[in-house]
Amino acid sequence: MTEDFDLPFPVSDSDLDDLHDLAPLPPAAPARNATELLAPHEVQRLHNLEATVRDGLRDFQRTGQALSEIRDNELFRATHDTFEAYLEERWGFTPSQADRIIEANEVTKVLEPLGIAPISERQARAFKGAAKILTELEPEQQRLVARLAQERQPEGADTDEPAPWEGPPAPELRIMANVVQKMTPDTTVYHPESGSQVALAELGPAERYEVIREQVNQKTQAYQEKQAAKAAAEPDEKVNWASWCMSYAREGLMPGQRLEVVLEHDEKGKPRALARIVDRETGEILAEGNAGKDMKKGVLNLITQMQG
């Protein structure tokens, strides 16, 4: 759905979903003797950059680059004391809104040379994790990871399967980056044909890539199996410790017993909580859980002991 704002350029949810609260643009603030504050080339550059912003926020890359340059070179100083004041009065932006546009452009600049092209500001910011991973690599390593990632990209435009760089953790991309970083020329590997142990540097380019790809496939498969096992595991039973205490007092305590939660210091002087069932007459401890760092943990430990 597209929301209409009183702006001189189009804004859509898919491109700028966070800018829903923009006010109508005020007129540009009067220059404070701009020729004394900005050099002639800066005045022209500011004019060009503001035209980029004014022409439309649909192109988030150009807008983010323009705002970044205005901020970094302090081209706002002709009319405003701070970049924040410039954003608010000139464009109706909050600093966080401008930061998101600038960040989306920076992410895109990292990803585009590798064939990963975000199509919107929202998507670019979702790829922030992937960009961070890639910036940790050397250029040759980046190209290798890009090749590996492209091979694993889902086929078909309508597929619901995410690409390796999608999602905040970007787990598969992290696996690729880790393998590439660790596979140095001196790393001992198995020759893909003979099976003998050799240094990675002794293999040809195609053989090196095959060895690295196999390592990535093995580690990716192990990761996916681990995630599948987690998903299939029975969820831990959620127990409300306070409710359990009251329920046990009503239904579990025998006559002459009481449930105690004791707060005390351990041998090192650190506070701990103990929950136990005690005979009221003799003081004998009938059941006791391990010490916990707080009352909740202490009671949960008693529950485990009682159910054990």
Side-chain angles (χ1 to χ4, degrees), residues 57-76:
L57 293 174
R58 186 174 299 278
D59 186 346
F60 71 91
Q61 291 179 251
R62 294 180 64 230
T63 301
Q65 182 61 37
L67 290 174
S68 177
E69 190 171 337
I70 292 172
R71 178 197 62 190
D72 295 345
N73 293 290
E74 298 186 351
L75 299 180
F76 56 83

Side-chain angles (χ1 to χ4, degrees), residues 36-104:
E36 295 181 4
L37 295 170
L38 296 179
H41 73 279
E42 291 179 313
V43 173
Q44 183 59 47
R45 186 58 182 158
L46 175 62
H47 174 78
N48 294 339
L49 293 171
E50 289 193 331
T52 297
V53 179
R54 186 171 55 250
D55 285 346
L57 293 174
R58 186 174 299 278
D59 186 346
F60 71 91
Q61 291 179 251
R62 294 180 64 230
T63 301
Q65 182 61 37
L67 290 174
S68 177
E69 190 171 337
I70 292 172
R71 178 197 62 190
D72 295 345
N73 293 290
E74 298 186 351
L75 299 180
F76 56 83
R77 68 186 187 276
T79 54
H80 296 83
D81 292 325
T82 66
F83 183 58
E84 291 75 13
Y86 168 80
L87 290 171
E88 177 68 27
E89 296 177 18
R90 182 71 178 94
W91 303 110
F93 289 175
T94 65
S96 61
Q97 289 167 342
D99 286 345
R100 286 193 287 271
I101 300 173
I102 293 171
E103 180 182 77

Side-chain angles (χ1 to χ4, degrees), residues 193-259:
E193 295 182 1
S194 67
S196 59
Q197 290 187 334
V198 296
L200 185 65
E202 297 180 26
L203 301 177
E207 294 170 330
R208 286 199 300 271
Y209 180 76
E210 184 61 31
V211 168
I212 292 173
R213 180 170 60 181
E214 181 60 26
Q215 283 287 315
V216 168
N217 289 341
Q218 291 177 7
K219 292 186 178 297
T220 299
Q221 182 177 356
Y223 169 81
Q224 292 173 342
E225 290 175 352
K226 183 177 179 180
Q227 294 303 108
K230 281 185 178 180
E234 289 290 333
D236 295 335
E237 183 180 358
K238 300 298 182 182
V239 178
N240 185 305
W241 66 277
S243 297
W244 181 89
C245 287
M246 296 306 297
S247 176
Y248 188 82
R250 286 193 303 269
E251 303 171 7
L253 280 179
M254 302 295 290
Q257 296 179 349
R258 67 170 176 262
L259 190 159

Side-chain angles (χ1 to χ4, degrees), residues 100-296:
R100 286 193 287 271
I101 300 173
I102 293 171
E103 180 182 77
N105 171 61
E106 292 172 348
V107 167
T108 302
K109 287 195 294 185
V110 173
L111 298 180
E112 276 192 331
L114 306 179
I116 305 173
I119 60 175
S120 68
E121 181 209 343
R122 175 190 296 178
Q123 189 181 61
R125 287 190 285 109
F127 291 171
K128 181 180 178 182
K132 183 178 185 301
I133 293 170
L134 291 171
T135 56
E136 299 171 357
L137 305 178
E138 298 295 332
E140 182 60 34
Q141 293 174 326
Q142 290 179 352
R143 287 189 286 271
L144 183 54
V145 169
R147 181 179 174 186
L148 291 165
Q150 289 296 336
E151 287 188 1
R152 299 186 68 85
Q153 187 172 11
E155 297 181 0
D158 299 329
T159 181
D160 292 329
E161 184 182 352
W165 49 80
E166 293 182 334
E172 291 193 26
L173 195 70
R174 171 62 71 181
I175 291 171
M176 295 175 193
N178 286 340
V179 171
V180 168
Q181 283 180 315
K182 292 177 180 179
M183 299 288 280
T184 65
D186 296 331
T187 300
T188 300
V189 298
Y190 290 99
H191 195 287
E193 295 182 1
S194 67
S196 59
Q197 290 187 334
V198 296
L200 185 65
E202 297 180 26
L203 301 177
E207 294 170 330
R208 286 199 300 271
Y209 180 76
E210 184 61 31
V211 168
I212 292 173
R213 180 170 60 181
E214 181 60 26
Q215 283 287 315
V216 168
N217 289 341
Q218 291 177 7
K219 292 186 178 297
T220 299
Q221 182 177 356
Y223 169 81
Q224 292 173 342
E225 290 175 352
K226 183 177 179 180
Q227 294 303 108
K230 281 185 178 180
E234 289 290 333
D236 295 335
E237 183 180 358
K238 300 298 182 182
V239 178
N240 185 305
W241 66 277
S243 297
W244 181 89
C245 287
M246 296 306 297
S247 176
Y248 188 82
R250 286 193 303 269
E251 303 171 7
L253 280 179
M254 302 295 290
Q257 296 179 349
R258 67 170 176 262
L259 190 159
E260 296 181 346
V261 179
V262 180
L263 303 179
E264 60 183 19
H265 289 97
D266 63 14
E267 299 79 9
K268 297 182 179 180
K270 295 182 179 180
R272 67 179 184 177
L274 288 165
R276 57 199 181 197
I277 308 298
V278 178
D279 186 297
R280 288 195 301 184
E281 294 295 329
T282 65
E284 179 186 0
I285 298 175
L286 305 175
E288 184 177 45
N290 292 330
K293 63 180 181 180
D294 52 35
M295 293 176 64
K296 176 181 178 181

